[in-house]
């Protein structure tokens, strides 16, 4: 298992949290959004999902991974 924290811009509310966490969970990973800090901590199995796929799933929800 790998663990990474990404900085994500554009998250402002509970809906944002649900959107990002749900998108990552749909890939088989676990996400925990820290809304005040604008970050997302992700636990994932790199043999099952790539970091690029996770970033793309977050960006598909309308947020920017920086």
């Amino acid at each position: 298992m790998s663990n990474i924290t990404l900085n994500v811009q554009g998250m402002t509310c509970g809906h944002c949290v649900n959107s990002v966490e749900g998108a990552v969970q749909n890939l088989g990973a676990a996400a925990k959004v820290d809304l005040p800090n604008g970050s997302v901590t992700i636990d994932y199995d790199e043999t099952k999902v790539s970091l690029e796929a996770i970033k793309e799933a977050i960006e598909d929800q309308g947020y920017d991974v920086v």
Side-chain angles (χ1 to χ4, degrees):
M1 291 291 282
S2 292
N3 178 282
I4 190 165
T5 299
L6 302 174
N7 292 320
V8 180
Q9 293 181 337
M11 300 183 301
T12 59
C13 64
H15 172 75
C16 300
V17 172
N18 292 338
S19 294
V20 170
E21 288 180 353
V24 173
Q25 288 171 356
N26 285 341
L27 297 175
K32 178 67 176 152
V33 172
D34 182 344
L35 197 56
N37 290 323
S39 65
V40 182
T41 301
I42 303 165
D43 294 316
Y44 67 103
D45 184 343
E46 64 276 358
T47 65
K48 296 182 179 177
V49 63
S50 70
L51 180 56
E52 289 305 314
I54 292 169
K55 289 179 180 179
E56 185 176 313
I58 294 170
E59 290 176 346
D60 285 348
Q61 296 301 308
Y63 307 102
D64 295 318
V65 178
V66 293

